[in-house]
Amino acid sequence: QVQLVESGGGLVQAGGSLRLSCVASGTSFSIIRMGWYRQAPGKQRELVASITSGGTTTYADSVKGRFTISRDNAKNTVYLQMNSLKPEDTAVYYCNADIRPYGSIWGQGTQVTVSS
């Protein structure tokens, strides 16, 4: 089975930056799409950004212009560069991937906390 492992979360002041990483590992697979989601306590998990195998990106309106998603196919890794962070960005960030032949899988999450 394929596993997703996120890293790069932490505590940062408003206006600062963080870069999240998500590495996919396991048996033979092909990544079709990867995305970052976030969830704050008491709120529903929401899409932050996604990227397809062809490089097409999608962003939530709330992060457009501040966050950048990218991937390194050779390393089976997706990144989320987060700049100009705001307190409302505080959440657990989860990596999600649409992987053939396994379908949709999730990482364990990494905490991002932005102080004012």
Side-chain angles (χ1 to χ4, degrees):
Q1 173 73 316
V2 177
Q3 304 280 327
L4 301 180
V5 179
E6 304 101 329
S7 62
L11 175 64
V12 65
Q13 291 184 319
S17 298
L18 287 171
R19 190 177 78 157
L20 306 183
S21 299
C22 175
V23 181
S25 62
T27 57
S28 298
F29 61 91
S30 178
I31 300 174
I32 306 304
R33 176 183 180 272
M34 297 186 77
W36 288 95
Y37 295 72
R38 66 186 181 188
Q39 187 169 25
K43 294 187 176 181
Q44 190 173 14
R45 191 172 299 185
E46 64 177 352
L47 175 68
V48 177
S50 66
I51 185 167
T52 68
S53 60
T56 301
T57 58
T58 300
Y59 295 94
D61 289 341
S62 60
V63 307
K64 185 79 172 182
R66 300 188 297 121
F67 293 8
T68 302
I69 190 169
S70 61
R71 67 187 299 176
D72 185 333
N73 291 336
K75 297 180 179 179
N76 290 320
T77 301
V78 65
Y79 305 96
L80 185 67
Q81 179 66 46
M82 304 185 294
N83 298 326
S84 301
L85 283 162
K86 304 175 180 179
E88 51 262 45
D89 295 318
T90 296
V92 177
Y93 284 69
Y94 296 91
C95 181
N96 173 260
D98 183 11
I99 298 177
R100 294 178 181 171
Y102 300 105
S104 181
I105 59 174
W106 293 88
Q108 77 285 352
T110 185
Q111 177 71 46
V112 171
T113 302
V114 184
S115 62
S116 60

